[in-house]
Amino acid sequence: MTRPLRIRAAAAVLLLATIPLQAQDTSRQESRRDALRKEIEQLERQIQLNKSKSDNALTELRLVRKQVATRRELVAESEREIRALSDTIAVRQAAAERLRERLATMEIHYRRLVRNAYRNRDARVWYSYLLSSENLGQASRRYAYLRDLSGTMGTQARRLKDMRRALEDDLARLTALREEAEAVRATREQDLKSLRNEELRSDHVVAQLQKDKQRYQRELETKRRQVEALNREIERIIAQAIEDARRKEQEAARKNRTNVPRDTQPVDVKLSGEFAANKGNLPWPADGPVVETFGKHNHPVYTTLIMPANNGVNIGLSPDAEIRAVFDGEVKRVIVMPGYGRCILVQHGDYFTFYCKLGRVEIKSGDKVKTGQTLGRVDTIDGQTELHFEVWKEKEPENPELWLRKK
């Protein structure tokens, strides 16, 4: 292959190599944007449901602020995509211009080659060219050159045609990229408008809360008592499960059953290890945004007030959403708690998962459950449609988001 053709091939490869990467990045960004939009829609439904079934302004503020944060993330995602598209367009435009220049140069050389061949098309010129050879080897090489010249010219003509078609295709893709970037910009502007409206809604709810501090302090105290009662009950159930396991081990030791079969061990060590090995990769118990995170938080308006500690996470859901087990285990208890509805505690060896605010329950104490198995359906309590989910290692609560896979 001649040097110009090698240059052309390298340029074409450079241009085309960016296509799969761009496609992958675009697909990933679109998937992320879709997930954020779905989360915003879920939050909006919850906000409207809270308004229709409850006058709990604190819940509304929590949902609205989560919606604002998600909208900001959506805007940031659009801005990242716009920057990526702009960078891709600039790189491809520059490469296309270089390819266009090289194509023009090659066409000039090719036309010159054709003209020379046409001027020297007289067979006597070719005979003279052969007869003027200094030796037989040179004559043989000249003959081979003349023989292949016609084929070479035809091949180069086809390559030039293919190269021009590739350039036209790439310019068409550039146009499509520009249109995509414009569409993303338009969407971002609409999202920014929605963000400003949601921030105004948040300010309105804050003003509403500030009007009656004593009322919301009373509601906060009621919530604190419910949380403390729930935590005490979880601790009691877990302590009882641990004590039952210890007592069974002692009984086995008294009967000299030192080699207890694995499937009859009081605490399933194998299951416990498998659960621990899946930290950061457990499936979510339900599909929705986290509207309240793990740990202690200050009141969003009265910042000197500390909210009841959350030993888990609250996941906002659509009404009657399905709740699923995050890992294999055994149902230890199904209980009902004030403010939390039906709650399910599942044991996984030394680990426990807790699912609360359910309406309908589809399992019972003592049942063995599998990863992904339906445990029940979420309920709407005090205008809130959300799952309260916790993870414990023996008697200590852990942040569930560290155990669940990243969305």
Side-chain angles (χ1 to χ4, degrees), residues 197-249:
N197 291 336
E198 288 157 3
E199 288 173 334
L200 288 173
R201 182 195 285 184
S202 175
D203 293 340
H204 173 75
V205 179
V206 169
Q208 181 182 344
L209 280 164
Q210 289 173 334
K211 289 179 182 178
D212 196 349
K213 182 176 181 179
Q214 289 184 344
R215 173 191 170 190
Y216 293 113
Q217 281 182 311
R218 289 195 299 271
E219 291 180 355
L220 182 61
E221 187 57 35
T222 299
K223 177 66 175 176
R224 189 188 309 280
R225 288 196 296 270
Q226 291 175 346
V227 170
E228 289 173 352
L230 178 69
N231 290 341
R232 285 195 301 270
E233 184 63 12
I234 293 174
E235 290 169 2
R236 185 191 69 79
I237 295 171
I238 291 176
Q240 183 178 337
I242 293 172
E243 177 60 24
D244 289 346
R246 186 187 64 79
R247 191 164 50 249
K248 288 180 181 179
E249 288 175 338

Coordinates of all heavy atoms in Angstrom, one line a residue, residues 197-249:
N197 N -38.7 25.6 40.3 CA -40.0 25.5 40.8 C -40.0 24.6 42.1 O -40.7 24.9 43.1 CB -41.0 24.9 39.8 CG -41.3 25.8 38.6 OD1 -41.2 27.0 38.8 ND2 -41.6 25.3 37.5
E198 N -39.2 23.5 42.0 CA -39.1 22.6 43.2 C -38.5 23.3 44.4 O -38.8 23.1 45.5 CB -38.4 21.3 42.8 CG -39.2 20.4 41.9 CD -38.4 19.5 41.0 OE1 -37.1 19.5 41.2 OE2 -38.9 18.8 40.2
E199 N -37.5 24.1 44.1 CA -36.8 24.9 45.2 C -37.8 25.9 45.8 O -37.8 26.1 47.1 CB -35.6 25.6 44.6 CG -34.4 24.7 44.3 CD -33.3 25.4 43.6 OE1 -33.5 26.4 43.0 OE2 -32.1 24.9 43.7
L200 N -38.7 26.5 45.0 CA -39.7 27.4 45.5 C -40.7 26.6 46.4 O -41.1 27.1 47.4 CB -40.4 28.1 44.4 CG -39.6 29.2 43.7 CD1 -40.4 29.7 42.4 CD2 -39.3 30.4 44.6
R201 N -41.0 25.4 45.9 CA -41.9 24.6 46.7 C -41.3 24.2 48.1 O -42.0 24.2 49.1 CB -42.2 23.3 46.0 CG -43.2 22.3 46.7 CD -43.2 20.9 46.1 NE -43.9 20.8 44.8 CZ -44.0 19.7 44.1 NH1 -43.6 18.6 44.6 NH2 -44.6 19.7 43.0
S202 N -40.0 23.9 48.1 CA -39.3 23.6 49.3 C -39.3 24.8 50.3 O -39.6 24.7 51.5 CB -37.8 23.3 49.0 OG -37.1 23.1 50.2
D203 N -39.1 26.0 49.7 CA -39.1 27.2 50.6 C -40.5 27.4 51.2 O -40.7 27.9 52.3 CB -38.7 28.4 49.7 CG -37.3 28.4 49.3 OD1 -36.5 27.7 49.9 OD2 -36.9 29.1 48.3
H204 N -41.6 27.1 50.4 CA -42.9 27.3 50.9 C -43.2 26.3 52.0 O -43.8 26.7 53.0 CB -43.9 27.0 49.7 CG -45.3 27.0 50.1 ND1 -46.1 28.1 50.4 CD2 -46.2 25.9 50.3 CE1 -47.3 27.8 50.8 NE2 -47.4 26.5 50.7
V205 N -42.7 25.1 51.9 CA -43.0 24.1 53.0 C -42.2 24.5 54.2 O -42.7 24.4 55.4 CB -42.6 22.7 52.5 CG1 -42.8 21.7 53.7 CG2 -43.4 22.3 51.3
V206 N -41.0 25.1 54.1 CA -40.2 25.5 55.2 C -41.0 26.6 55.9 O -41.1 26.6 57.2 CB -38.8 26.0 54.8 CG1 -38.1 26.8 55.9 CG2 -38.0 24.9 54.3
A207 N -41.5 27.6 55.2 CA -42.3 28.7 55.8 C -43.5 28.1 56.5 O -43.8 28.6 57.6 CB -42.7 29.6 54.7
Q208 N -44.1 27.1 56.0 CA -45.3 26.4 56.6 C -44.9 25.8 58.0 O -45.6 25.9 59.0 CB -45.9 25.4 55.7 CG -47.1 24.7 56.2 CD -47.6 23.6 55.3 OE1 -47.2 23.6 54.1 NE2 -48.4 22.7 55.8
L209 N -43.7 25.1 58.0 CA -43.2 24.5 59.2 C -42.9 25.5 60.2 O -43.1 25.3 61.4 CB -42.0 23.6 58.9 CG -42.3 22.3 58.3 CD1 -41.0 21.7 57.6 CD2 -42.8 21.3 59.3
Q210 N -42.3 26.7 59.8 CA -41.9 27.7 60.8 C -43.0 28.4 61.5 O -42.8 29.0 62.6 CB -41.0 28.7 60.1 CG -39.6 28.2 59.6 CD -38.8 29.1 58.8 OE1 -39.4 30.0 58.1 NE2 -37.5 29.0 58.8
K211 N -44.2 28.2 61.0 CA -45.4 28.9 61.6 C -45.8 28.3 62.9 O -46.4 28.9 63.7 CB -46.5 28.9 60.6 CG -46.4 29.8 59.4 CD -47.6 29.8 58.5 CE -47.4 30.7 57.3 NZ -48.5 30.5 56.3
D212 N -45.6 27.0 63.0 CA -46.1 26.2 64.2 C -45.0 25.3 64.7 O -45.1 24.0 64.5 CB -47.3 25.5 63.8 CG -48.1 25.0 65.0 OD1 -47.6 25.1 66.1 OD2 -49.3 24.6 64.8
K213 N -44.0 25.8 65.3 CA -42.9 25.0 65.8 C -43.4 24.0 66.9 O -42.9 22.8 66.9 CB -41.8 25.9 66.4 CG -40.6 25.1 66.9 CD -39.5 26.1 67.4 CE -38.3 25.3 67.8 NZ -37.2 26.2 68.2
Q214 N -44.2 24.4 67.8 CA -44.7 23.5 68.9 C -45.4 22.3 68.3 O -45.2 21.2 68.8 CB -45.6 24.3 69.8 CG -44.8 25.3 70.7 CD -45.7 26.0 71.7 OE1 -47.0 25.9 71.6 NE2 -45.2 26.7 72.7
R215 N -46.2 22.5 67.3 CA -46.9 21.4 66.8 C -46.0 20.3 66.2 O -46.1 19.1 66.5 CB -47.9 21.8 65.7 CG -48.5 20.7 64.9 CD -49.2 21.2 63.7 NE -49.6 20.1 62.8 CZ -50.1 20.3 61.6 NH1 -50.2 21.5 61.0 NH2 -50.4 19.3 60.8
Y216 N -45.0 20.8 65.5 CA -44.0 19.8 64.8 C -43.1 19.2 65.8 O -42.6 18.1 65.7 CB -43.3 20.5 63.7 CG -44.2 20.9 62.6 CD1 -44.5 22.2 62.2 CD2 -44.9 19.9 61.8 CE1 -45.4 22.5 61.2 CE2 -45.8 20.1 60.8 CZ -46.0 21.5 60.5 OH -46.9 21.7 59.5
Q217 N -42.8 20.0 67.0 CA -42.1 19.4 68.0 C -42.8 18.2 68.7 O -42.2 17.2 69.0 CB -41.7 20.4 69.1 CG -40.6 21.3 68.7 CD -40.3 22.4 69.8 OE1 -41.1 23.0 70.3 NE2 -39.0 22.5 70.1
R218 N -44.1 18.4 68.8 CA -44.9 17.3 69.4 C -44.9 16.1 68.4 O -44.8 14.9 68.8 CB -46.4 17.7 69.6 CG -46.5 18.7 70.7 CD -48.0 18.9 71.1 NE -48.8 19.4 70.0 CZ -49.0 20.7 69.8 NH1 -48.5 21.6 70.6 NH2 -49.8 21.1 68.8
E219 N -45.1 16.3 67.1 CA -45.0 15.2 66.1 C -43.7 14.6 66.2 O -43.6 13.3 66.0 CB -45.3 15.8 64.7 CG -46.7 16.2 64.5 CD -46.9 16.8 63.1 OE1 -46.0 16.9 62.3 OE2 -48.1 17.1 62.8
L220 N -42.6 15.4 66.3 CA -41.3 14.8 66.4 C -41.1 13.9 67.6 O -40.5 12.8 67.5 CB -40.2 15.9 66.4 CG -38.8 15.5 66.4 CD1 -38.4 14.7 65.2 CD2 -37.9 16.8 66.5
E221 N -41.7 14.3 68.7 CA -41.6 13.5 70.0 C -42.3 12.2 69.8 O -41.9 11.1 70.3 CB -42.1 14.3 71.1 CG -41.9 13.6 72.5 CD -40.5 13.3 72.8 OE1 -39.6 14.1 72.4 OE2 -40.2 12.2 73.4
T222 N -43.5 12.2 69.1 CA -44.2 11.0 68.8 C -43.4 10.1 68.0 O -43.3 8.9 68.2 CB -45.6 11.3 68.1 OG1 -46.4 12.1 69.0 CG2 -46.3 10.0 67.8
K223 N -42.8 10.6 67.0 CA -41.9 9.8 66.1 C -40.8 9.2 66.8 O -40.4 8.1 66.6 CB -41.4 10.7 64.9 CG -40.5 10.0 64.0 CD -41.1 8.9 63.2 CE -40.2 8.3 62.2 NZ -40.8 7.2 61.4
R224 N -40.2 10.0 67.8 CA -39.0 9.5 68.5 C -39.5 8.3 69.4 O -38.7 7.3 69.4 CB -38.5 10.6 69.5 CG -37.2 10.3 70.1 CD -36.8 11.4 71.2 NE -36.9 12.7 70.6 CZ -35.9 13.2 69.9 NH1 -34.8 12.5 69.6 NH2 -36.0 14.4 69.4
R225 N -40.6 8.4 70.0 CA -41.1 7.2 70.8 C -41.3 6.0 69.9 O -41.0 4.9 70.3 CB -42.4 7.6 71.5 CG -42.2 8.6 72.7 CD -43.4 8.6 73.6 NE -44.6 9.1 72.8 CZ -44.9 10.4 72.8 NH1 -44.2 11.3 73.4 NH2 -46.1 10.7 72.1
Q226 N -41.9 6.2 68.7 CA -42.1 5.0 67.8 C -40.7 4.4 67.4 O -40.6 3.2 67.4 CB -42.8 5.5 66.6 CG -44.3 5.9 66.9 CD -45.0 6.5 65.6 OE1 -44.3 6.8 64.6 NE2 -46.3 6.6 65.7
V227 N -39.8 5.3 67.1 CA -38.4 4.7 66.7 C -37.8 4.0 67.8 O -37.2 2.9 67.6 CB -37.5 5.9 66.2 CG1 -36.1 5.4 66.0 CG2 -38.1 6.5 64.9
E228 N -37.8 4.5 69.0 CA -37.2 3.9 70.2 C -37.9 2.5 70.5 O -37.2 1.6 70.8 CB -37.3 4.8 71.4 CG -36.4 6.0 71.3 CD -36.6 7.0 72.4 OE1 -37.5 6.8 73.2 OE2 -35.8 7.9 72.5
A229 N -39.2 2.5 70.3 CA -39.9 1.2 70.6 C -39.5 0.2 69.5 O -39.4 -1.0 69.9 CB -41.4 1.5 70.5
L230 N -39.4 0.6 68.3 CA -39.0 -0.3 67.2 C -37.6 -0.8 67.5 O -37.4 -2.0 67.4 CB -39.1 0.5 65.9 CG -38.6 -0.4 64.7 CD1 -39.6 -1.5 64.4 CD2 -38.4 0.5 63.5
N231 N -36.7 0.1 67.8 CA -35.3 -0.4 68.1 C -35.2 -1.3 69.2 O -34.5 -2.3 69.2 CB -34.4 0.9 68.4 CG -34.2 1.7 67.1 OD1 -34.4 1.3 66.0 ND2 -33.8 3.0 67.3
R232 N -36.0 -1.1 70.3 CA -36.0 -2.0 71.4 C -36.5 -3.4 71.0 O -36.0 -4.4 71.5 CB -36.8 -1.4 72.6 CG -36.2 -0.3 73.4 CD -36.9 0.0 74.7 NE -38.3 0.3 74.5 CZ -38.8 1.5 74.3 NH1 -37.9 2.6 74.3 NH2 -40.1 1.8 74.1
E233 N -37.6 -3.4 70.2 CA -38.1 -4.7 69.8 C -37.2 -5.4 68.9 O -37.0 -6.7 69.1 CB -39.5 -4.4 69.1 CG -40.2 -5.7 68.7 CD -40.6 -6.5 69.9 OE1 -40.6 -6.1 71.0 OE2 -41.0 -7.7 69.6
I234 N -36.5 -4.8 68.0 CA -35.5 -5.4 67.1 C -34.4 -6.0 68.0 O -34.0 -7.2 67.8 CB -35.0 -4.4 66.1 CG1 -36.0 -4.0 65.1 CG2 -33.8 -5.1 65.3 CD1 -35.6 -2.9 64.1
E235 N -33.9 -5.2 68.9 CA -32.8 -5.7 69.8 C -33.2 -6.9 70.6 O -32.5 -7.8 70.8 CB -32.4 -4.5 70.7 CG -31.6 -3.4 70.0 CD -31.4 -2.2 70.8 OE1 -31.8 -2.2 72.0 OE2 -30.9 -1.2 70.3
R236 N -34.5 -6.9 71.1 CA -35.0 -8.0 71.9 C -35.1 -9.2 71.0 O -34.6 -10.3 71.5 CB -36.4 -7.6 72.4 CG -36.9 -8.7 73.4 CD -38.4 -8.5 73.7 NE -39.2 -8.7 72.5 CZ -39.6 -9.9 72.1 NH1 -39.2 -11.0 72.7 NH2 -40.4 -10.0 71.0
I237 N -35.6 -9.1 69.8 CA -35.8 -10.3 68.9 C -34.4 -10.9 68.6 O -34.2 -12.1 68.6 CB -36.6 -9.9 67.7 CG1 -38.0 -9.6 68.0 CG2 -36.6 -11.1 66.7 CD1 -38.8 -9.0 66.9
I238 N -33.4 -10.0 68.2 CA -32.1 -10.5 67.9 C -31.4 -11.1 69.0 O -30.8 -12.2 68.9 CB -31.3 -9.3 67.3 CG1 -31.8 -8.9 65.9 CG2 -29.8 -9.7 67.2 CD1 -31.2 -7.6 65.4
A239 N -31.5 -10.5 70.2 CA -30.9 -11.1 71.4 C -31.5 -12.4 71.7 O -30.8 -13.4 72.1 CB -31.1 -10.1 72.6
Q240 N -32.8 -12.6 71.5 CA -33.4 -13.9 71.8 C -32.9 -14.9 70.8 O -32.7 -16.1 71.1 CB -35.0 -13.7 71.7 CG -35.7 -15.0 72.0 CD -37.2 -14.8 71.9 OE1 -37.7 -13.7 72.1 NE2 -37.9 -15.9 71.7
A241 N -32.8 -14.5 69.5 CA -32.3 -15.4 68.5 C -30.9 -15.9 68.8 O -30.5 -17.1 68.6 CB -32.3 -14.8 67.1
I242 N -30.0 -15.0 69.2 CA -28.6 -15.3 69.6 C -28.6 -16.2 70.8 O -27.9 -17.2 70.9 CB -27.8 -14.0 69.9 CG1 -27.7 -13.2 68.6 CG2 -26.5 -14.3 70.5 CD1 -27.1 -11.8 68.8
E243 N -29.5 -15.9 71.8 CA -29.5 -16.7 73.0 C -30.0 -18.1 72.7 O -29.5 -19.1 73.2 CB -30.5 -16.1 74.0 CG -30.7 -16.9 75.3 CD -29.4 -17.1 76.1 OE1 -28.4 -16.4 75.9 OE2 -29.3 -18.1 76.8
D244 N -31.0 -18.2 71.8 CA -31.5 -19.6 71.4 C -30.4 -20.4 70.7 O -30.3 -21.6 71.0 CB -32.7 -19.4 70.4 CG -34.0 -18.9 71.1 OD1 -34.0 -18.9 72.3 OD2 -34.9 -18.4 70.4
A245 N -29.6 -19.7 69.9 CA -28.5 -20.4 69.2 C -27.5 -20.9 70.2 O -27.0 -22.0 70.2 CB -27.9 -19.5 68.2
R246 N -27.2 -20.0 71.2 CA -26.2 -20.4 72.2 C -26.7 -21.6 73.1 O -25.9 -22.5 73.4 CB -25.9 -19.2 73.2 CG -24.8 -19.4 74.2 CD -24.7 -18.2 75.1 NE -26.0 -18.1 75.9 CZ -26.2 -18.9 77.0 NH1 -25.3 -19.8 77.4 NH2 -27.3 -18.8 77.7
R247 N -28.0 -21.6 73.4 CA -28.5 -22.6 74.2 C -28.5 -24.0 73.5 O -28.2 -25.0 74.0 CB -29.9 -22.3 74.6 CG -30.5 -23.2 75.7 CD -31.8 -22.6 76.4 NE -32.7 -22.2 75.4 CZ -33.0 -20.9 75.2 NH1 -32.4 -19.9 75.9 NH2 -33.9 -20.6 74.3
K248 N -28.8 -23.9 72.2 CA -28.7 -25.1 71.4 C -27.3 -25.7 71.3 O -27.1 -26.9 71.3 CB -29.2 -24.8 70.0 CG -30.8 -24.7 69.9 CD -31.2 -24.4 68.5 CE -32.7 -24.1 68.5 NZ -33.2 -23.8 67.1
E249 N -26.3 -24.8 71.2 CA -24.9 -25.2 71.2 C -24.5 -25.9 72.5 O -23.8 -26.9 72.5 CB -24.0 -24.0 70.9 CG -24.1 -23.5 69.4 CD -23.3 -22.2 69.2 OE1 -23.0 -21.5 70.2 OE2 -23.0 -22.0 68.1

